[in-house]
Amino acid sequence: MIELDDISKTYNAGCPNEVHSLCSVSLSIAGRAMTVLAGPSGSGKSTLVSIMGCLTRPTSGRVRLNGETVSALPQRFLTNLRRRTFGFVFQRFNLVRGITAVENVMLPGYPEGLSHARLRTRAVELLADFGLEHRVDHRVETLSGGEVQRVAIARALVNDPDIIIADEPTASLDRERVAQFLAIAADLKARGKTLIVTSHDPRITGAPIVDGVVSLADGRVAEVSP
Ligand SMILES: Nc1ncnc2c1ncn2[C@@H]1O[C@H](COP(=O)(O)OP(=O)(O)OP(=O)(O)O)[C@@H](O)[C@H]1O
């Protein structure tokens, strides 16, 4: 479903602080499956998922989504494609402070042109699916860590994307929260979603619902299993 062909990414090219974040990465990510990108800090996991999710352009190489080359699309097409295809759970969740749980979940839905009332209904339903009906109108900074995690996942799902990308979703979460994330991931997979998760947490890389693990080292693919 996502094919990466000889992807490289260099930050600050030609400057003293040049970084080769990814070097010649070629990879296929299966649809309707859960793939984990593993590897130590700085190995290029976040850069890779951000290229897969069309948030960052590669310096060279090609990204294909369902057979279509997307890496060369103009920015405005890319933005539309990204919004409809991907849901993102960002590192540290990146919720917007000062607004409520439901307002955070609604945010990615506004550009899709749904009425405010329909969007709110959808966001409230998603929060209820995750047991947060009593937190809908609470500001996110008043929520617990586990609640924040579930609001972030609900936000990623508001446009009903086919592919959910989660960047280190369980970093610094306790055992119960990790189990909760895995239960939600299993449910999404059962509903035909594609999940791409970066993690160096063995509780995630070794979880039974994981279909494949791609290990990165120094910006290169070190191992693909199975
Ligand atoms: N915007 C940027 N500008 C310059 N260098 C960057 C940028 N983003 C990432 N890098 C560098 O690229 C390399 C890979 O970073 P990346 O965040 O992709 O790794 P990671 O495996 O996700 O790390 P972590 O697990 O710590 O999040 C690192 O050396 C990082 O410093």
Side-chain angles (χ1 to χ4, degrees):
M1 159 172 274
I2 302 180
E3 289 154 287
L4 304 177
D5 189 10
D6 205 18
I7 293 287
S8 294
K9 178 69 183 177
T10 304
Y11 289 106
N12 311 318
C15 301
N17 57 348
E18 181 175 279
V19 181
H20 297 286
S21 181
L22 295 172
C23 304
S24 298
V25 172
S26 294
L27 204 56
S28 277
I29 302 287
R32 298 169 176 264
M34 179 167 171
T35 302
V36 176
L37 303 184
S41 180
S43 57
K45 305 181 296 295
S46 297
T47 304
L48 192 57
V49 285
S50 133
I51 288 173
M52 286 179 189
C54 306
L55 283 165
T56 300
R57 280 189 198 277
T59 307
S60 61
R62 193 162 62 145
V63 180
R64 276 182 297 167
L65 184 61
N66 298 328
E68 302 283 337
T69 300
V70 294
S71 39
L73 286 176
Q75 196 55 52
R76 67 178 192 286
F77 290 110
L78 217 48
T79 305
N80 285 335
L81 176 85
R82 182 171 64 227
R83 217 167 36 224
R84 298 199 176 127
T85 311
F86 296 97
F88 296 94
V89 181
F90 293 101
Q91 230 172 47
R92 294 180 287 277
F93 303 127
N94 278 9
L95 295 182
V96 179
R97 295 170 68 85
I99 63 174
T100 64
V102 71
E103 286 165 345
N104 264 277
V105 175
M106 289 166 73
L107 282 177
Y110 283 114
E112 290 301 295
L114 281 183
S115 72
H116 184 275
R118 280 191 60 192
L119 184 54
R120 186 180 157 93
T121 302
R122 163 115 183 107
V124 170
E125 280 169 6
L126 279 167
L127 287 169
D129 284 349
F130 294 133
L132 291 172
E133 52 273 62
H134 59 308
R135 293 285 181 259
V136 165
D137 293 314
H138 287 227
R139 287 181 174 216
V140 290
E141 59 271 27
T142 65
L143 304 183
S144 73
E147 290 170 340
V148 165
Q149 177 198 40
R150 284 176 282 154
V151 173
I153 297 171
R155 184 177 61 175
L157 299 179
V158 75
N159 289 334
D160 196 23
D162 285 337
I163 305 172
I164 294 114
I165 290 180
D167 196 1
E168 298 274 3
T170 60
S172 73
L173 291 182
D174 62 25
R175 202 160 48 115
E176 197 183 326
R177 301 280 90 91
V178 173
Q180 190 167 66
F181 173 79
L182 288 169
I184 293 170
D187 178 54
L188 291 171
K189 199 174 101 168
R191 284 161 45 196
K193 304 290 184 189
T194 300
L195 289 116
I196 305 168
V197 178
T198 77
S199 182
H200 42 58
D201 182 340
R203 297 171 298 182
I204 299 293
T205 51
I209 64 156
V210 172
D211 298 286
V213 178
V214 176
S215 300
L216 297 180
D218 292 331
R220 295 176 187 274
V221 176
E223 193 184 347
V224 179
S225 66

